[in-house]
Amino acid sequence: MPDPIAVVDRNAIVRVANPVAEESIGLKSGTCLHDFMRAAGADGCKVSGFLHLCLASTESLPTRFELTQGAPTVVYGSRLVLPGSTSDGLVLLRFDQRLEITSKFASLNDKLAAMTDKARHNHIQKNQLKDMVITDVLTGALNRRGFEQLLIREHKRARRYGRPLSLAVLDLDFFKAINDKHGHAVGDRVIRHFAELCGASLREQDSIARIGGEEFAVIMPETGLAAGEAVTERIVEATKSNVLSIDNIRLCYTVSAGVSELHAAEAIDDLVQRADANLYVAKDHGRARCISDNSRIN
């Protein structure tokens, strides 16, 4: 019986498959080879590496795939150039479940294994770098970039599905005086302490961001104004009742906050500006308090 044969392009899409490929292993034209092989238990990174090597070689290269469905399979791949064709990046694949891979090609498997490990490592590094770009080093909260990215996503979701979204902007009271009196190292401890208090007061769906020196923001999806104000009030009250001990220093500090809820068809800038305006009202009326759209003092 002939072997299953298929032609795939550089994007791993099957252009042509012979009848044996369709009948015996279910590989059809238009199928994504990555999806097909992963469904059969193959390593997706290894599949990508194998196609890359085939495109770079003029020889027929075999490798063995350990599949959870069916017997171990040796796949032979070679770059395909059709006379008179303008298509580039085609690979001819032959699937053989009867043969064991010979020692002649053992180095190819080793090379593929190394490429697979490198791909995984690069993926992990990419995610770590992405986290570093949007994370505040001092507190571990989102930084301003992370805050803006998340707020854009939540704003789109709230607008699309008609769901509530509330935003709180918080600013530590008299923070400059703390820095001037005790130094920036103590000021940093205060900022970290406040971020921890926020984390303990927030719900699972809420996100805290440090958007300035002593300024923070809390994004509250699926949250109306009353609930958003209640969450923010917890933070304000927790700050009032906590004492931070640093060496021989016992510090008490407070925070002021403004809360707003997204209005229908409202832009992000308007939501942020209303929260900021409410924060300034809180500052102007004694600090250590939370002011929302409903409780704003005129």
Side-chain angles (χ1 to χ4, degrees):
M1 181 178 178
D3 291 323
I5 295 175
V7 176
V8 301
D9 60 23
R10 63 173 59 253
N11 296 316
I13 301 300
V14 177
R15 295 285 191 89
V16 180
N18 69 353
V20 178
E22 295 190 16
E23 294 170 6
S24 64
I25 61 175
L27 185 61
K28 301 179 180 179
S29 300
T31 302
C32 174
L33 185 67
H34 290 148
D35 294 342
F36 175 81
M37 294 295 282
R38 275 196 294 263
D43 188 315
C45 291
K46 186 175 181 180
V47 174
S48 298
F50 178 58
L51 290 179
H52 178 79
L53 289 177
C54 291
L55 286 169
S57 176
T58 57
E59 299 181 1
S60 178
L61 303 177
T63 192
R64 178 189 175 106
F65 289 94
E66 297 291 344
L67 307 180
T68 57
Q69 299 178 11
T73 300
V74 176
V75 181
Y76 293 83
S78 58
R79 184 160 56 93
L80 180 63
V81 179
L82 300 176
S85 173
T86 58
S87 297
D88 186 26
L90 297 178
V91 176
L92 177 66
L93 300 177
R94 179 169 65 86
F95 296 78
D96 191 343
Q97 294 182 322
R98 299 165 298 177
L99 301 177
E100 292 293 331
I101 196 165
T102 65
S103 59
K104 177 182 177 181
F105 300 109
S107 61
L108 176 61
N109 265 350
D110 293 340
K111 189 172 183 180
L112 282 173
M115 291 177 67
T116 300
D117 290 342
K118 184 176 180 181
R120 288 199 188 97
H121 178 70
N122 289 343
H123 181 70
I124 292 171
Q125 279 194 323
K126 184 178 179 180
N127 286 338
Q128 289 174 339
L129 288 172
K130 183 179 178 181
D131 289 341
M132 289 173 63
V133 168
I134 62 172
T135 301
D136 177 60
V137 176
L138 181 62
T139 63
L142 292 173
N143 60 17
R144 184 158 198 110
R145 179 195 292 263
F147 163 74
E148 290 173 350
Q149 291 178 357
L150 179 59
L151 187 57
I152 288 172
R153 290 199 301 271
E154 291 298 343
H155 177 262
K156 288 181 178 178
R157 193 177 69 85
R159 289 279 301 275
R160 177 179 298 174
Y161 299 109
R163 304 303 300 165
L165 171 67
S166 288
L167 173 70
V169 179
L170 308 97
D171 189 83
L172 297 180
D173 298 324
F174 303 112
F175 183 74
K176 185 178 183 301
I178 295 175
N179 268 343
D180 291 344
K181 182 176 181 179
H182 302 288
H184 290 282
V186 171
D188 286 350
R189 289 284 298 274
V190 171
I191 288 174
R192 285 200 298 269
H193 180 256
F194 177 69
E196 291 168 0
L197 283 181
C198 288
S201 301
L202 296 178
R203 305 160 304 172
E204 185 176 351
Q205 72 261 37
D206 303 327
S207 297
I208 178 77
R210 184 185 178 205
I211 57 176
E214 67 272 21
E215 189 175 10
F216 290 77
V218 178
I219 300 173
M220 295 173 279
E222 299 291 333
T223 304
L225 186 61
E229 187 174 10
V231 170
T232 311
E233 283 281 7
R234 283 203 302 270
I235 296 173
V236 172
E237 293 304 316
T239 308
K240 286 181 184 178
S241 61
N242 260 271
V243 177
L244 175 59
S245 297
I246 307 174
D247 298 327
N248 295 323
I249 303 172
R250 287 174 58 82
L251 269 177
C252 296
Y253 65 93
T254 59
V255 67
S256 299
V259 186
S260 60
E261 181 186 5
L262 182 68
H263 294 164
E266 184 178 37
I268 288 179
D269 288 346
D270 295 330
L271 174 68
V272 175
Q273 287 172 7
R274 285 193 293 108
D276 274 334
N278 290 336
L279 169 62
Y280 291 134
V281 172
K283 291 284 191 182
D284 290 341
H285 288 80
R287 295 179 168 82
R289 67 188 63 215
C290 170
I291 297 295
S292 72
D293 293 338
N294 284 341
S295 60
R296 185 167 176 173
I297 302 170
N298 296 314

